[in-house]
Structures are given as C-alpha cells and as structure tokens.
Amino acid sequence: MIKELSQMGTRHALANGENQDALCHGKSKDLYVISLADGVSSCKEAKRGASIASQAITNLFLKKGNHFLEFDDEQIADFAVSHILCELKQEALNASLPVIDYSSTVASVLVDKRKKRILCFNLGDSIILASGNGRCKVLCMPSDSSFGCCVTTTGRAEKRVSIKMCDIGSMESVVICSDGAWREMFLKNRLKPEVARMLSNNEYDELRDFLISQNCFDDYSFISLDMRHESRRKYA
C-alpha cells in the first residue's frame, strides 16, 4: 500500500511559485519501487527535472531491479546516475536549455518481495526511514550539504550517492521524506516523539496530518510503502 503527500511550502506559495517535488511509484512481478525527487528552486525547470528523475529511476529499478541487487554500491550509483542524467540531457536538448536547469535531488527504494531484499538509493538531502516491530530507524541519511547539496547535474554526483542494501527482516514499511518534510519531523537530530510513534506504528495518514499542520516553509513530501499489505495482496 502506497501513502503519499506532496504540498507546496509557504516560500513558493508567497512567491506564486509551484511545488517542485515529484513522487513516483510502480510494481512489476515481485518488485516494488517508490521514488521522490526535489527540484532545485533556483533552476528554471526544477519541477520538470524532478519529475524526470523520479520516473527515470523508478522505471530503471523496475526493469533491472534483479540485476541491481547483485551489483556493488559503486556500480549501482554509476548506472543509476548515468541513466537519470541521460534522460535529463535529452529533455534539455529537445528544449534547447542547459541541463543544469533540470537539477534535483532524487531518492528511491527498491523492494524485492521474493528475495526479501531492499535497496535504497539517495542522492541529495532526502531521508529514507524504515519501521517494524514498533520501532523505526534511518536507512539512508541526508547528504552533508555544508558546501552545497549534491544534485543530479553535479559533476561526479555518482561518488556522493548513499546506497544501502539489506534484508527486509522485520521491516514493515519504508518511507522517503524530502528535506522540507523531515526537517519538521526532527528536533536536535532526533525524531520528535509524536513522529517516532507515527512511524513506528506505520501511521502515515497521521504523518500527513502532522506535516500539513506545521505550515512548512519549504515544499514537503513523503512517499511510503507498507510491505505488509503488499505481501498479503500477493500471497493471500
């Protein structure tokens, strides 16, 4: 079961802008993929770039997911970033615009229900969390953006991708949150108690209501996959 939220923050609303986050998900046989991209607000085609990036990595993982689960981290990062950048360059060429205009962060989670494995990919400042057995944990931290956030068009971006591969084990759900969302969920590097409870109990409707109530400055989005429901649907 997919739960998602994507809303414009007050910064863009006041400037008559648009929500520059993009969500995507899909499934194919035993594979499930959720993805989130956050367009760089200073870029002319940020929204379009985020949409292309989220769709590109979702489609790639659905088609080649079984192979990716056998790759090492460096191979995964090289292949995925090259594929996304190729899609962005083609769009930029068609529009006669520089590819940097389409910059975004991008994060994705691939779940193989048959192999009971999870692959997390994170380029930029999103966060990937998992919950199970009444607990939640971080699978992929946001990148260090002290000297600027790495995005899809950054040179050698593949070297700054965070990859995490692990068994599903006791995990019940996974969620990707944009920086506009997770910054409202944490206080002093720890999840706020009410948010920790929501995540631990897979209460993503409640998380949606919580984020909406925060009057977030930046665009805020999350996309979650409840693997318990997908398992029952497939094997019942």
Side-chain angles (χ1 to χ4, degrees):
M1 178 182 294
I2 302 292
K3 293 289 182 70
E4 59 185 50
L5 168 73
S6 189
Q7 297 280 353
M8 186 190 305
T10 57
R11 177 179 59 174
H12 289 155
L14 291 172
N16 295 318
E18 63 177 348
N19 177 7
Q20 295 172 334
D21 292 350
L23 309 179
C24 191
H25 62 88
K27 61 180 180 177
S28 175
K29 295 184 179 179
D30 295 314
L31 303 180
Y32 300 86
V33 180
I34 56 173
S35 303
L36 185 156
D38 181 355
V40 176
S41 59
S42 60
C43 294
K44 181 179 179 181
E45 296 293 336
K47 176 68 173 183
R48 179 63 181 150
S51 179
I52 291 170
S54 63
Q55 290 176 15
I57 197 165
T58 298
N59 292 337
L60 178 65
F61 280 172
L62 286 176
K63 291 178 181 178
K64 304 291 185 180
N66 290 318
H67 299 292
F68 275 94
L69 289 169
E70 305 302 324
F71 290 172
D72 61 33
D73 292 359
E74 184 176 346
Q75 288 174 310
I76 294 168
D78 285 346
F79 203 128
V81 172
S82 294
H83 178 72
I84 293 167
L85 194 55
C86 181
E87 295 288 312
L88 294 175
K89 286 180 176 178
Q90 186 60 55
E91 180 74 13
L93 180 63
N94 292 341
S96 299
L97 291 171
V99 69
I100 197 171
D101 281 355
Y102 295 85
S103 300
S104 75
T105 66
V106 61
S108 187
V109 177
L110 164 67
V111 176
D112 187 321
K113 295 294 292 186
R114 184 177 63 84
K115 294 181 179 179
K116 302 187 186 306
R117 296 281 285 170
I118 289 179
L119 166 62
C120 299
F121 172 102
N122 194 14
L123 172 62
D125 54 8
S126 293
I127 194 170
I128 303 175
L129 303 151
S131 65
N133 286 342
R135 303 179 65 182
C136 59
K137 63 181 178 180
V138 176
L139 292 181
C140 275
M141 291 286 291
S143 64
D144 181 1
S145 55
S146 302
F147 300 100
C149 183
C150 186
V151 295
T152 50
T153 60
T154 301
R156 299 177 65 81
E158 67 278 2
K159 302 299 182 183
R160 295 174 63 182
V161 172
S162 177
I163 302 289
K164 172 78 171 181
M165 200 179 308
C166 57
D167 292 331
I168 292 177
S170 62
M171 284 184 253
E172 298 169 348
S173 68
V174 288
V175 59
I176 309 171
C177 302
S178 69
D179 68 316
W182 69 254
R183 291 183 194 280
E184 300 294 335
M185 296 161 54
F186 281 77
L187 180 63
K188 295 182 179 180
N189 298 320
R190 295 182 65 88
L191 282 168
K192 295 178 180 178
E194 64 269 38
V195 174
R197 175 188 55 76
M198 295 171 197
L199 293 176
S200 297
N201 295 323
N202 306 295
E203 296 172 343
Y204 293 105
D205 289 335
E206 287 77 4
L207 179 61
R208 178 190 294 115
D209 294 341
F210 167 82
L211 288 171
I212 292 172
S213 73
Q214 298 305 295
N215 198 30
C216 302
F217 179 70
D218 197 5
D219 298 340
Y220 56 102
S221 304
F222 76 80
I223 182 167
S224 67
L225 171 66
D226 189 330
M227 295 178 286
R228 300 169 303 166
H229 289 274
E230 296 299 342
S231 179
R232 287 198 292 268
R233 184 178 303 166
K234 184 172 182 60
Y235 299 112

